[in-house]
Amino acid sequence: MVKVIKTRQELEDLRITDTRSIGFVPTMGNLHQGHISLLEKALAENECAYFSIFVNPKQFGPNEDFNRYPRTLGEDIHKIETCAQKYPHKDVIVFAPHNPSEVFLASETHIVSVPFLNSIIEGAIRPGHFDGVTTVVYKLFNLVQPKRAYFGLKDYQQFIIIRKMTKDLLLPIEIIGMPIIRENDGLAMSSRNQYLNPEQRSHSLILSKTLKKIEEMIAGKRENIKLAEQYKLELLKDQHWNYIEIRDSLNLSSDISQAKEISILAVYQLGTTRLLDNIQVELK
Ligand code: AMP
């Protein structure tokens, strides 16, 4: 059964009496198969799932798309119901606050911040973004008190930051990273893909194709990374790339001399739409 609640009070009341193990999936809505894959896993691994739909104002910069971010609650609930039908004996509680004041108090001053990780790579381009993410996720964790929480590796840096926050603050929550769900042609699913016009949509394939090419170039061998770094410099002459970074998957360090696995993280920008993607490569 899917139950939708819109206030913090309802969530707190429900949570006090709910003794089941909870798998939690925080999202900003406008759901696609990527989000639903997280819900499926949460339902499979826990007695019930809590799913939040909240466009978090604190993680948008002043010139970003907060106002035009797609809000499609009716369709989202329909997709959640379809997924939940596969688990007829399990409940999904959807927390969809009707107003940001259900999550953020007017008097609030506290910021949850993961230093260093919040200001590199994506954080260098979007100052304050990750603090907005960790602040809301920490608050949602407190409200929901899940046993496990599910995040997509699509936002790889976000996953690493939330895992670090959870570890540092001794939160008793298991953070689970889930594989990137892609369109048939390779583009990573994202609510922002709908901003692309048809020409940009076909141009967008360069992102996943380039990551695949770098993966093949490295072929699991540390000594090939130099080659990939040179190739990267060539690629970056195309101004559409915001960045292409080769980092240690464990902690996003640029020192990859000891890395067992590396992540290649990239953003390709088409118009105002920034497309994020990444790929992991195990090193032999
Ligand atoms: P968002 O609503 O975009 O903030 O995303 C909510 C959650 O869904 C985050 O943990 C994302 O990493 C995850 N997610 C978004 N897109 C995908 C995707 N294509 N595959 C897997 N997870 C995704």
Side-chain angles (χ1 to χ4, degrees):
M1 194 196 78
V2 177
K3 182 179 167 71
V4 183
I5 55 180
K6 302 213 163 187
T7 65
R8 182 171 78 243
Q9 188 64 55
E10 282 172 283
L11 178 55
E12 285 168 347
D13 292 348
L14 201 70
R15 195 54 198 85
I16 282 175
T17 52
D18 196 347
T19 55
R20 297 172 293 188
S21 70
I22 293 171
F24 178 43
V25 182
T27 78
M28 298 206 300
N30 192 243
L31 305 182
H32 50 64
Q33 199 47 44
H35 301 111
I36 296 300
S37 71
L38 307 184
L39 175 60
E40 281 230 43
K41 191 74 169 171
L43 280 168
E45 292 188 344
N46 301 278
E47 287 170 328
C48 69
Y50 280 51
F51 192 102
S52 64
I53 297 180
F54 177 54
V55 184
N56 169 28
K58 289 202 194 284
Q59 71 186 70
F60 287 79
N63 299 316
E64 293 182 1
D65 54 344
F66 175 69
N67 285 324
R68 72 169 179 140
Y69 196 85
R71 289 156 172 88
T72 51
L73 187 59
E75 290 162 45
D76 291 353
I77 290 166
H78 185 68
K79 286 176 188 165
I80 291 171
E81 278 168 346
T82 305
C83 173
Q85 278 164 13
K86 294 183 205 154
Y87 298 86
H89 305 298
K90 293 194 180 177
D91 291 340
V92 182
I93 311 298
V94 180
F95 177 48
H98 58 65
N99 192 301
S101 65
E102 295 297 329
V103 177
F104 296 113
L105 316 179
S107 58
E108 180 171 331
T109 52
H110 203 97
I111 292 169
V112 181
S113 187
V114 178
F116 177 68
L117 284 173
N118 66 356
S119 55
I120 60 170
I121 319 176
E122 188 66 6
I125 296 183
R126 302 182 70 190
H129 166 69
F130 286 118
D131 287 359
V133 171
T134 42
T135 302
V136 80
V137 169
Y138 183 77
K139 297 190 77 165
L140 292 170
F141 278 0
N142 277 335
L143 285 169
V144 175
Q145 297 175 45
K147 180 166 187 204
R148 302 186 182 89
Y150 299 82
F151 293 87
L153 297 181
K154 156 88 169 38
D155 302 284
Y156 192 78
Q157 188 173 358
Q158 170 176 285
F159 165 70
I160 294 294
I161 287 176
I162 286 167
R163 199 173 63 178
K164 174 92 171 112
M165 171 189 82
T166 307
K167 188 170 181 228
D168 284 4
L169 298 177
L170 308 177
L171 303 179
I173 301 168
E174 191 184 337
I175 304 299
I176 293 157
M178 295 289 295
I180 300 177
I181 305 295
R182 298 176 181 280
E183 303 289 354
N184 288 335
D185 60 9
L187 177 65
M189 288 191 185
S190 164
S191 306
R192 289 185 167 110
N193 290 350
Q194 61 197 270
Y195 297 154
L196 301 171
N197 65 34
E199 196 186 318
Q200 291 171 327
R201 177 64 183 81
S202 50
H203 192 167
S204 71
L205 295 184
I206 191 172
L207 176 55
S208 57
K209 282 190 176 153
T210 302
L211 290 178
K212 265 263 166 260
K213 189 162 176 190
I214 298 176
E215 180 192 22
E216 284 163 16
M217 194 175 256
I218 296 172
K221 296 196 182 112
R222 198 178 301 274
E223 61 267 28
N224 289 341
I225 293 175
K226 265 199 198 115
L227 218 67
E229 289 282 3
Q230 278 162 15
Y231 177 53
K232 188 187 113 173
L233 293 180
E234 275 306 303
L235 289 169
L236 288 174
K237 290 179 186 162
D238 171 358
Q239 301 279 310
H240 290 94
W241 293 101
N242 283 187
Y243 58 78
I244 304 170
E245 295 283 346
I246 302 179
R247 302 280 176 137
D248 188 330
S249 290
L250 207 58
N251 51 16
L252 298 180
S253 168
S254 53
D255 174 6
I256 49 175
S257 56
Q258 305 299 318
K260 292 194 175 69
E261 185 193 272
I262 52 168
S263 286
I264 307 155
L265 305 112
V267 168
Y268 197 78
Q269 183 163 348
L270 289 165
T272 54
T273 308
R274 303 177 62 252
L275 301 170
L276 271 84
D277 202 348
N278 68 83
I279 199 164
Q280 278 66 50
V281 184
E282 252 183 70
L283 296 180
K284 286 170 206 145

